[in-house]
Amino acid sequence: MTLTTISIIVATCIYVAYNAISLVLFGIPESLSNTYYLWKERSNKGWLFPLMMYAVVALMMPAWITLSEGSDFQFLAFLAPSAIAFVGTAPAFKSDDLESVVHSTAAIVAAICSLAWVAVITPYWWMILVWFGFIALASILTSSYKSCLVYWLEQVAFGATFTSAILYSI
């Protein structure tokens, strides 16, 4: 197993652990970013959200760039995790200032670049469809497809990206 694969697996584990603990404590959130507020209100630990985002970026960016070597679309491997870092840096998306704009814009850029990376760099573009189907089923079974739509769409982007990156690195 290469260092690239190990790095992606560790990033995935950090993301899954954060998500699992948040789900157990708070239920299904409106969005992953909303866990910043939930952690902050519950135990003044809003810093866990940026920490998780930075850890994922620190582990994923070098792996993404390595996996993208030689591609004309290697820039996606820089833009996606950079945008994720901005999401973590500006976690207060409900504010009325620049932080909200930075957070929302970065989240959209991260999702688009991540899914584009899966579609054009890896041969696993179909993982986007698999994850969309899985997440659609989960959201319907939990009756949260309306109230938590952003969260579920984020899970498609992260799930497809992590899965495709692991498969592509093997």
Side-chain angles (χ1 to χ4, degrees):
M1 192 175 306
T2 68
L3 187 57
T4 297
T5 305
I6 293 168
S7 181
I8 297 165
I9 290 170
V10 172
T12 303
C13 289
I14 290 169
Y15 179 81
V16 168
Y18 178 87
N19 246 303
I21 293 167
S22 295
L23 285 170
V24 167
L25 292 176
F26 311 120
I28 302 168
E30 299 168 17
S31 67
L32 182 63
S33 300
N34 197 54
T35 62
Y36 162 75
Y37 291 104
L38 297 171
W39 279 105
K40 190 174 178 181
E41 290 166 9
R42 180 181 180 107
S43 57
N44 204 24
K45 290 187 169 94
W47 53 267
L48 286 173
F49 174 75
L51 181 65
M52 180 272 298
M53 297 301 260
Y54 295 150
V56 166
V57 168
L59 291 163
M60 283 296 289
M61 186 184 282
W64 251 338
I65 290 171
T66 299
L67 292 175
S68 305
E69 283 180 4
S71 170
D72 291 338
F73 297 97
Q74 188 177 21
F75 67 92
L76 294 171
F78 176 77
L79 287 180
S82 296
I84 292 169
F86 274 99
V87 170
T89 301
F93 69 95
K94 293 180 181 178
S95 66
D96 290 331
D97 58 9
L98 181 62
E99 189 165 356
S100 174
V101 175
V102 168
H103 181 97
S104 300
T105 303
I108 292 166
V109 169
I112 290 169
C113 289
S114 296
L115 293 174
W117 182 85
V118 170
V120 300
I121 300 287
T122 79
Y124 304 107
W125 59 268
W126 50 270
M127 270 297 161
I128 298 168
L129 301 175
V130 169
W131 273 93
F132 185 79
F134 173 71
I135 293 301
L137 182 62
S139 69
I140 290 167
L141 291 175
T142 59
S143 299
S144 60
Y145 54 91
K146 289 181 183 174
S147 60
C148 304
L149 179 62
V150 172
Y151 176 78
W152 292 119
L153 292 174
E154 290 168 333
Q155 298 318 302
V156 171
F158 276 106
T161 302
F162 285 134
T163 305
S164 299
I166 291 168
L167 291 172
Y168 195 52
S169 71
I170 295 176

